[in-house]
Amino acid sequence: LDGKIATKTGDSRWVSSAASRRRVHERRAQVDAILTAPGTVAVDDPQLTARDAEGMPLPRQPMRVIADSRGRTPPTARLFREPGRTLVATAGDEYHMPFKDLGGSVSVVSLPDEHNRVDLKALLRHLGEAGVMQVFTEVGEVLLGSIFDEGLPDQAMVFIAPKVVGGAQALGPVAGTGVDRIGNAPALSHVRIDRIEDDVLIEGAFRWWDGAEGQAGGV
C-alpha cells in the first residue's frame, strides 16, 4: 500500500499473493520476451519461465533478456538452465566471457550507448528484428527508472498488496531521473482494475507528454 517492492533488508518474498503470481505466469506465456537486470538475477535468482499451477513449464516459453552493461549476471543463475532462449545484452565484447560456455540457447550481443551502458532503444530494435514484438519487464527500480526516463513503456500491470512495509531505505519500484512536475508524469489511460484475492491489479496504457502540460506525446 505504501509503494514499496521490498523491505529495507531487500526481502521481497512474497509481496503479492500466489493468485497474483499465477496471473503473471499467464501473462508471461503470452509475450515474446521478459526483460530483466543483473541485480534482479543476483538477488532473486528467478527462473523467468511461464509455469502452470503445479510449477511445471508451459509449452510456450518467452525469451529471457538481461540488460547487463558490465557482464555482472552470475553464470550459475537458474534462468540459464531453464527451457527456452536467453539473450544477454552488454555494453561491449569484453563483457561476454562469463557467458561463452553456457550453451547454444544463450546468446550475447553488444549494444552500447554513449555512456557505455546498454542502449535500451537499440536493444528493443534488436529484439524487433528477431521477431520479438511484446516485451514484459520484470526488473528492479534502477533499470525500470531508465526505461521510464527513455519513455519506453506502453502498458503497465501493477499489483498492489494490502501491506505496509515502511522504511525510508525500503525500495520503491521506479528510480531514474523522474519528472520535475506532476503534470509531466506519464499517466495511464483505459485503466482496468481487478481484484485477485486480497490484491488489486491495475492495468492500462501509458499517455506520454511532450513537455508542455496538457500536450500528449506518443511513444
Side-chain angles (χ1 to χ4, degrees):
L1 291 175
D2 57 355
K4 305 297 186 180
I5 60 171
T7 69
K8 61 185 178 182
T9 65
D11 181 48
S12 60
R13 295 195 177 187
W14 292 102
V15 176
S16 58
S17 67
S20 293
R21 297 195 295 275
R22 286 195 295 271
R23 181 70 65 90
V24 171
H25 281 281
E26 293 172 4
R27 187 62 57 88
R28 284 179 178 178
Q30 298 168 357
V31 301
D32 300 316
I34 301 174
L35 173 64
T36 193
T40 299
V41 176
V43 172
D44 296 338
D45 198 17
Q47 295 170 266
L48 292 186
T49 53
R51 303 186 295 278
D52 61 21
E54 284 71 45
M56 299 301 295
L58 296 173
R60 184 182 186 278
Q61 291 294 329
M63 177 191 296
R64 294 173 293 274
V65 181
I66 310 171
D68 185 356
S69 297
R70 302 289 183 271
R72 296 186 295 112
T73 303
T76 55
R78 286 196 299 175
L79 58 78
F80 290 121
R81 303 189 299 274
E82 295 296 327
R85 296 177 295 157
T86 301
L87 172 69
V88 183
T90 75
D93 294 351
E94 63 269 30
Y95 304 115
H96 290 196
M97 187 57 67
F99 316 108
K100 288 292 188 181
D101 299 323
L102 293 178
S105 64
V106 179
S107 56
V108 191
V109 63
S110 297
L111 297 168
D113 65 9
E114 64 273 19
H115 303 294
N116 201 30
R117 297 177 302 201
V118 172
D119 187 323
L120 296 176
K121 291 181 179 179
L123 174 57
L124 291 182
R125 287 194 296 269
H126 178 86
L127 291 172
E129 291 167 358
V132 173
M133 297 291 105
Q134 293 178 307
V135 180
F136 193 45
T137 61
E138 296 191 36
V139 299
E141 76 283 1
V142 175
L143 181 53
L144 193 55
S146 297
I147 290 169
F148 271 94
D149 288 344
E150 293 279 352
L152 298 178
D154 294 313
Q155 300 178 41
M157 184 181 188
V158 182
F159 293 91
I160 301 176
K163 302 171 183 177
V164 176
V165 174
Q169 303 304 315
L171 298 176
V174 183
T177 303
V179 299
D180 294 326
R181 302 176 63 201
I182 292 295
N184 292 335
L188 288 178
S189 61
H190 304 93
V191 174
R192 301 178 300 278
I193 300 175
D194 190 13
R195 180 171 175 176
I196 305 176
E197 293 184 348
D198 289 334
D199 294 346
V200 174
L201 170 60
I202 300 174
E203 297 184 272
F206 277 108
R207 299 196 311 267
W208 289 89
W209 305 98
D210 65 4
E213 186 171 356
Q215 299 296 314
V219 177

